[in-house]
Amino acid sequence: MKYKKEAVIFLGTGLVQADTIKIAKKKFFTIGFDKNQRSPGKKYCDLFYKSNANNFDFIIKKLKKLNYLKFKFIWSNNDIFLATRAKLESRLKLQFKNSSKKVVDLTLNKLKFGNLYKTHKIIIPNIKKFKNSTKVICKPIKSSGSKNVEIITYNNNLEKFKKNNFIFQEYHEGDEYGLNFISYKNKIFTLNSVKRYFDHNQTMVPIGSVSTNKNIIPKIIKNLIIKIVNDLKIVGKIKVDIIKTNKGKFKIIEISNRFHGEIDTTITFKKNGLSTFENLFNLIENNNISKKIINKKRYYGYINLFRDRLKLKTYNKILNQNNLKFVEKINRFKENKNKIKSTQDIRSYILFYAKKIPTNKEFVKTFNSLNGFI
């Protein structure tokens, strides 16, 4: 039988995917689908097709003609492409698959997901009734990138939101973390995590993150997450957003069938030794993952810029004043108008490393200084 070159399919070849495609290209034939003909990851693809990455019929038609390739797996790390990824994995009968479309649809539906496991009081459910003074987060039932998310109280046009398929979750303050797992062959492997930062006075969009070691949640909470993952039959890539409230309680915000964003899990994780892509590949090939965890002498992270108006040396100076060391600045491919309503409004990323994990207060101060908000 003639040997077929192994290939990885990328749904989306934008700026944050580019580094992952570069890593994949060392071992695989790379195929990319993106509606942007000038997307930054295109140049690293052996084959590139200009197409919306959700255009299932177009994608499957093109892939079926590539009979000289053996498709290894599909890489997509954006919620908006997960249903299409699931359909493609099923049709192509890949060795490595993530969850079915049915499971993907369940986890992406914040109303249905929030109503599960209420008795454990760990998943943040939808609130149907709350007092006038209660502060809540209002979210579309299905959304990504923090789009249309708001903090409201009863008097803030509540009825308008109810009519437009929004849910309401109790607002918690505390430390938020992004956990990453791989469920493969009936085993769940833990990868590195990130601490996520927010400044809700400016935006609901995360303002940045820093890589942490893996041991950030108690074993009892981890075991409950694993139970939920197994009960719901979530397989493949898994990310869990979880918050440790100021009262010391852990709450699951959401679970999704992907890893955290590739600025985190490719670019900053790579600086610590391995990206999530490399861990996934090692697992598929060797039935194990690397034992490497975050280098505890250096914690890599990034800060979002919604206003990019300062000189590089000024960014560097602000970081130094806040005990952070500049690594590099990554400019987004597409300009915007300084809005801060969703992740699409980020203009640039400032990468840094720290000798200790910044507190929420320290991080917010640095974010505001870099963006010129103070």
Side-chain angles (χ1 to χ4, degrees):
M1 182 177 178
K2 187 177 179 182
Y3 171 78
K4 291 187 176 183
K5 188 170 181 61
E6 293 182 329
V8 176
I9 301 157
F10 285 86
L11 302 183
T13 60
L15 176 68
V16 293
Q17 289 84 24
D19 278 80
T20 310
I21 301 171
K22 280 197 289 185
I23 294 169
K25 193 175 177 65
K26 296 175 182 178
K27 295 180 179 180
F28 301 105
F29 189 91
T30 52
I31 307 165
F33 293 88
D34 197 296
K35 64 183 180 182
N36 184 357
Q37 184 70 36
R38 298 170 58 205
S39 62
K42 174 187 174 182
K43 62 184 176 183
Y44 304 115
C45 294
D46 296 299
L47 266 181
F48 174 83
Y49 296 99
K50 182 179 181 298
S51 167
N52 186 315
N54 270 326
N55 190 339
F56 173 82
D57 291 336
F58 176 88
I59 294 170
I60 200 69
K61 180 180 178 181
K62 293 298 182 183
L63 294 177
K64 282 189 171 182
K65 293 180 180 179
L66 306 177
N67 53 14
Y68 56 92
L69 297 173
K70 178 183 178 182
F71 302 124
K72 194 72 175 178
F73 55 90
I74 299 172
W75 183 268
S76 178
N77 219 35
N78 190 317
D79 284 342
I80 64 174
F81 300 137
L82 298 189
T84 298
R85 184 191 68 189
K87 289 171 63 178
L88 288 168
E89 287 172 343
S90 178
R91 180 69 68 87
L92 295 171
K93 298 179 179 179
L94 300 184
Q95 170 196 343
F96 178 83
K97 293 182 182 179
N98 294 278
S99 298
S100 67
K101 183 178 181 300
K102 181 179 179 180
V103 174
V104 167
D105 288 341
L106 170 63
T107 55
L108 291 179
N109 187 308
K110 294 177 176 61
L111 179 61
K112 290 181 180 179
F113 179 76
N115 288 332
L116 297 170
Y117 299 94
K118 280 186 179 180
T119 55
H120 291 294
K121 296 183 179 179
I122 186 172
I123 294 176
I124 302 178
N126 178 46
I127 302 173
K128 293 183 179 179
K129 294 181 180 180
F130 52 90
K131 298 177 181 178
N132 287 9
S133 59
T134 305
K135 185 185 286 187
V136 299
I137 294 182
C138 175
K139 303 177 179 178
I141 291 175
K142 291 185 178 181
S143 68
S144 63
S146 302
K147 189 174 182 180
N148 296 321
V149 177
E150 295 186 35
I151 296 177
I152 66 168
T153 59
Y154 183 82
N155 294 321
N156 293 140
N157 299 314
L158 179 60
E159 293 304 318
K160 180 191 76 172
F161 288 110
K162 280 186 175 180
K163 292 177 182 178
N164 288 284
N165 294 319
F166 282 76
I167 65 165
F168 308 96
Q169 295 179 334
E170 186 177 351
Y171 177 74
H172 295 281
E173 291 187 352
D175 293 329
E176 185 170 322
Y177 297 98
L179 316 180
N180 296 282
F181 304 92
I182 304 175
S183 175
Y184 185 63
K185 293 186 177 180
N186 299 316
K187 291 183 180 180
I188 296 180
F189 299 85
T190 304
L191 304 182
N192 288 314
S193 306
V194 296
K195 181 177 180 183
R196 308 176 79 213
Y197 294 90
F198 294 84
D199 180 3
H200 291 147
N201 291 320
Q202 296 289 353
T203 176
M204 295 302 296
V205 181
I207 61 174
S209 75
V210 64
S211 302
T212 72
N213 62 49
K214 295 187 289 188
N215 305 311
I216 58 176
I217 59 171
K219 189 174 181 179
I220 188 172
I221 300 297
K222 181 180 176 182
N223 288 341
L224 183 54
I225 291 172
I226 290 173
K227 173 178 168 48
I228 292 171
V229 166
N230 286 330
D231 285 352
L232 298 181
K233 296 181 173 57
I234 306 174
V235 297
K237 301 190 291 183
I238 301 165
K239 71 108 172 176
V240 181
D241 289 334
I242 192 166
I243 187 168
K244 182 181 181 182
T245 72
N246 288 342
K247 295 180 179 180
K249 295 183 180 293
F250 285 90
K251 298 283 186 180
I252 292 177
I253 300 168
E254 65 179 44
I255 296 177
S256 188
N257 201 198
R258 62 177 176 88
F259 295 137
H260 270 86
E262 284 171 269
I263 293 291
D264 297 299
T265 56
T266 296
I267 296 175
T268 63
F269 280 20
K270 179 69 175 173
K271 293 185 182 301
N272 283 296
L274 282 177
S275 68
T276 47
F277 180 94
E278 291 167 304
N279 256 319
L280 177 62
F281 172 70
N282 290 340
L283 178 59
I284 294 170
E285 291 296 296
N286 307 311
N287 290 319
N288 209 337
I289 62 171
S290 168
K291 298 299 182 183
K292 287 185 179 181
I293 63 171
I294 294 301
N295 179 341
K296 293 186 178 180
K297 293 181 180 179
R298 285 190 176 187
Y299 296 92
Y300 286 92
Y302 73 94
I303 298 176
N304 290 327
L305 294 185
F306 296 98
R307 294 179 180 174
D308 190 357
R309 299 171 178 172
L310 305 178
K311 293 181 179 179
L312 202 58
K313 64 180 181 180
T314 306
Y315 290 126
N316 202 336
K317 181 179 178 181
I318 292 171
L319 290 173
N320 283 334
Q321 289 170 345
N322 290 277
N323 298 313
L324 304 176
K325 298 297 180 183
F326 178 85
V327 175
E328 66 178 296
K329 180 169 175 283
I330 301 174
N331 297 317
R332 284 180 67 92
F333 182 70
K334 187 177 181 180
E335 290 291 327
N336 63 54
K337 297 179 181 178
N338 291 328
K339 297 181 297 180
I340 47 176
K341 295 292 187 180
S342 81
T343 53
Q344 294 300 311
D345 299 318
I346 298 166
R347 292 191 66 168
S348 307
Y349 305 97
I350 294 287
L351 269 59
F352 67 86
Y353 72 83
K355 292 185 177 180
K356 68 179 184 68
I357 296 175
T359 65
N360 292 335
K361 186 176 180 180
E362 289 168 341
F363 201 96
V364 168
K365 177 187 173 185
T366 309
F367 163 78
N368 282 317
S369 295
L370 291 172
N371 280 275
F373 294 140
I374 57 174

